[in-house]
Amino acid sequence: MGSIKNLRGVGDARARLFAAKGVNTVEDLLYYFPRGHEDRTHFLQISECNPGEAACVEVKVYSPVKETRIKKNFTIYSMVVFDDSGAMTVKWFNNKYVKGVFRTGEDVLLYGTVSDNRGKKEMQNPIYEKKGKQRFIGKIVPVYPLTGGLTQNIIRSAMEEALAECGNLSEYIPTEIRKKYNIAEINYAMKNIHFPADIDSYEQSRKRFAFEELFLLQLALLEKKSDRLQNHCEPFGNVRCCDDFIGSLPFELTGAQKCAIGE
């Protein structure tokens, strides 16, 4: 499937970061399974959001992003959003890129943890996407093991590219075996282990790859067994050399040693 650095958005620098996790090829990346998922499919009204809990909201921008410099290396970027149930302040810390992203009156999707600031709801450093252009909000998204320099969005974006790059993977578990054990087809399973359509799709995919691991292990053991049966030696009939050697020893063998030699 080729080197991971050939994927759009990866390149040499990020390829080195992936290599630190043992991911060098597109196939390595596809088999870099998530450690869990976040369910971002359930949207709440602002009034329904509880402090301390993560939530998805669909809101309108009420005010442009305001920049407030607290000290030399600390700047807060904030804006007010609203829906039919109320308003909420959204804040980012030291993220100057958000300043030119939002326009008053446009619809945006936010995902983050809600907090209470003197009786008013806030969402700090949320993930944001424009309505109609969402990629990781409104879906069940994977959460991957990280290493220095790699973020969840970098891995998710690379995984999207890898899934598109691989096209149709070749199925190697025979159809009759998959039907017998109700095992998902490999392309369905690969897509839904990373970006599941729903929880049931994820469970079917997880079952497929657990079965695949045991299936391949069993095939390897059967191959070794077959090699062992085909490549055998006839036992020696004349063991006089052993008797001569034992007779030359300056001591008597123990009973256990004689028994072992006999066997």
Side-chain angles (χ1 to χ4, degrees), residues 15-261:
R16 287 192 291 271
L17 297 176
F18 276 107
K21 299 295 287 185
V23 176
N24 297 290
T25 67
V26 174
E27 184 176 13
D28 291 338
L29 181 60
L30 290 175
Y31 279 87
Y32 188 67
F33 293 149
R35 59 177 172 80
H37 289 80
E38 288 180 349
D39 189 348
R40 301 178 184 175
T41 60
H42 303 296
F43 284 82
L44 299 177
Q45 294 274 290
I46 290 176
S47 62
E48 297 173 325
C49 297
N50 296 316
E53 296 181 357
C56 288
V57 293
E58 180 180 328
V59 294
K60 283 187 179 292
V61 177
Y62 179 77
S63 65
V65 175
K66 180 177 69 173
E67 178 180 339
T68 305
R69 188 178 298 276
I70 304 300
K71 53 186 179 181
K72 183 177 180 180
N73 296 317
F74 187 63
T75 303
I76 297 176
Y77 297 88
S78 62
M79 69 178 183
V80 177
V81 298
F82 70 98
D83 62 16
D84 292 338
S85 70
M88 177 171 64
T89 300
V90 183
K91 292 181 178 179
W92 291 270
F93 304 115
N94 292 333
N95 186 352
K96 63 182 180 180
Y97 301 103
V98 300
K99 194 171 182 182
V101 170
F102 304 100
R103 299 192 309 273
T104 301
E106 73 177 339
D107 297 315
V108 297
L109 308 177
L110 303 174
Y111 175 78
T113 301
V114 177
S115 60
D116 182 281
N117 185 359
R118 300 177 183 178
K120 295 182 179 181
K121 289 179 181 177
E122 283 188 355
M123 188 177 281
Q124 298 180 357
N125 295 310
I127 297 166
Y128 58 86
E129 292 179 342
K130 302 295 182 70
K131 185 178 179 180
K133 298 181 179 180
Q134 59 263 38
R135 293 173 62 200
F136 302 128
I137 299 180
K139 301 178 181 179
I140 299 173
V141 297
V143 179
Y144 295 98
L146 296 179
T147 191
L150 287 178
T151 66
Q152 292 295 341
N153 275 356
I154 287 174
I155 300 178
R156 289 169 189 149
S157 296
M159 197 65 71
E160 285 184 325
E161 291 294 322
L163 288 167
E165 172 82 13
C166 71
N168 286 323
L169 298 169
S170 298
E171 179 61 82
Y172 50 84
I173 297 180
T175 302
E176 59 271 20
I177 292 179
R178 289 195 294 107
K179 287 183 177 180
K180 180 179 179 180
Y181 296 103
N182 192 26
I183 300 301
E185 186 269 338
I186 189 169
N187 289 283
Y188 174 92
M190 190 61 77
K191 180 180 184 298
N192 284 281
I193 195 74
H194 294 288
F195 299 102
D198 49 45
I199 297 301
D200 184 59
S201 299
Y202 168 74
E203 289 299 333
Q204 290 182 51
S205 303
R206 188 185 63 80
K207 177 184 176 182
R208 151 75 199 216
F209 290 112
F211 180 91
E212 177 181 296
E213 186 174 351
L214 294 173
F215 182 69
L216 294 178
L217 175 62
Q218 185 69 10
L219 288 179
L221 292 174
L222 287 173
E223 184 178 25
K224 284 184 176 295
K225 181 178 180 181
S226 176
D227 289 343
R228 191 166 61 250
L229 292 174
Q230 292 177 19
N231 299 292
H232 63 278
C233 298
E234 293 294 333
F236 287 104
N238 183 0
V239 292
R240 178 64 185 274
C241 59
C242 294
D243 294 335
D244 292 342
F245 172 72
I246 293 169
S248 69
L249 295 175
F251 54 84
E252 182 74 15
L253 294 181
T254 66
Q257 288 171 332
K258 290 178 181 179
C259 182
I261 292 171

